[in-house]
Amino acid sequence: MFFSRFFSKRKKPVQTSPVKATYNNTANEHLSVRKGELGEYKIMIQLSQLSKEYMVLNDILLPNPKAKSGYSQIDHIVLSPYGIFVIETKNFQGTIYGSPAYKQWLVNGKFKFMNPFVQNYGHIECIKTLVGPKFKDAFVSIVSFTKRCTFKTDLSYRKIQSSELIIYDVELTETIKRKEAIIKLKNPMPLVSKDEIRECYALIAQANIAEEKIRKLHIDTLKNKA
């Protein structure tokens, strides 16, 4: 039921590398949205296969007065005993150029987009404000690209020891488990208890904005300010 509702009601525009239109623009836009939805669905399938000790939230919209639109839209949040994983997904195609020093990254050397880790930092700060400071050291930022991309980014993003990881979508659950293994070596005791996981989940779920008018306004505001 959840996935059928996801495809029937959700109209989330996705970011793709700009291409010159060779036929109807509406058809191009519809195709891009469909690809984005399929990519999101693929991620959700992966996350749904995690064990019961994990709790997962998808497509969350939270109030954020510091954001341009007044909201933060977060693709996926995974709550686990050894980390709170905040995941930003990108549906670009091409070579991705970027480093921590730059606020804007490039696709194929010319199409600009916001540094996704700056974007995800805003998401994490928004979540921290909601759930409180006691979880501040548990966050891991992950940016997921499709296999249609090649990375020409700072090498630190591909090292599992980093708190900011750039991955291919097919690596997501493996990356979460590898990252947890690294954290366990330093912290044998869980960072987040079962009760705290449920508490975080409830706080985020209750704050999530489902109203379509507000979600559309958020997207339109970002488009106008792009």
Side-chain angles (χ1 to χ4, degrees):
M1 177 182 290
F2 177 81
F3 292 129
S4 64
R5 188 175 66 181
F6 174 82
F7 280 109
S8 63
K9 293 186 177 180
R10 191 161 173 263
K11 300 294 184 182
K12 179 184 176 184
V14 297
Q15 294 176 307
T16 57
S17 55
V19 293
K20 291 184 179 179
T22 55
Y23 54 94
N24 187 276
N25 286 336
T26 302
N28 278 332
E29 183 177 348
H30 178 76
L31 181 61
S32 294
V33 170
R34 186 63 178 173
K35 284 182 178 179
E37 288 179 346
L38 290 172
E40 294 272 333
Y41 177 77
K42 189 163 63 173
I43 291 288
M44 290 167 66
I45 287 292
Q46 280 195 69
L47 296 179
S48 70
Q49 295 172 351
L50 291 169
S51 65
K52 292 182 179 179
E53 68 178 351
Y54 299 87
M55 297 190 77
V56 179
L57 294 135
N58 301 297
D59 190 22
I60 297 297
L61 185 68
L62 300 177
N64 183 0
K66 294 182 179 180
K68 290 181 179 179
S69 69
Y71 303 94
S72 280
Q73 189 161 21
I74 305 162
D75 292 330
H76 310 280
I77 305 168
V78 177
L79 305 166
S80 88
Y82 289 94
I84 298 175
F85 299 86
V86 181
I87 303 155
E88 173 69 22
T89 62
K90 297 296 182 186
N91 295 297
F92 296 119
Q93 178 175 341
T95 303
I96 308 300
Y97 297 89
S99 77
Y102 295 102
K103 291 184 179 180
Q104 289 187 316
W105 286 15
L106 296 173
V107 183
N108 295 329
K110 52 185 176 179
F111 301 119
K112 296 179 181 179
F113 67 104
M114 183 180 183
N115 180 332
F117 289 103
V118 172
Q119 183 181 7
N120 222 24
Y121 173 81
H123 295 165
I124 290 172
E125 290 301 302
C126 179
I127 298 170
K128 285 181 180 179
T129 300
L130 181 65
V131 302
K134 63 182 176 181
F135 305 111
K136 65 182 179 66
D137 296 325
F139 285 88
V140 179
S141 179
I142 297 179
V143 177
S144 168
F145 288 87
T146 70
K147 289 289 286 182
R148 293 176 291 137
C149 291
T150 301
F151 299 138
K152 296 291 183 180
T153 56
D154 192 286
L155 293 177
S156 65
Y157 289 133
R158 293 290 284 169
K159 294 180 179 179
I160 197 64
Q161 294 84 0
S162 176
S163 60
E164 295 183 327
L165 297 168
I166 188 169
I167 65 166
Y168 291 112
D169 53 6
V170 295
E171 301 172 330
L172 181 54
T173 52
E174 177 191 355
T175 298
I176 289 173
K177 291 176 181 178
R178 287 179 61 212
K179 184 61 181 178
E180 286 185 315
I182 294 294
I183 294 171
K184 284 179 184 179
L185 291 177
K186 296 180 180 179
N187 304 277
M189 297 298 293
L191 299 178
V192 188
S193 70
K194 290 181 179 179
D195 286 342
E196 288 172 333
I197 289 174
R198 287 191 287 267
E199 176 189 348
C200 282
Y201 183 95
L203 286 170
I204 297 169
Q206 288 169 9
N208 178 46
I209 298 169
E211 188 177 340
E212 288 298 326
K213 287 184 179 180
I214 296 178
R215 284 176 168 259
K216 184 179 184 303
L217 177 63
H218 164 71
I219 294 298
D220 291 344
T221 301
L222 293 181
K223 282 182 178 180
N224 293 333
K225 293 187 177 182

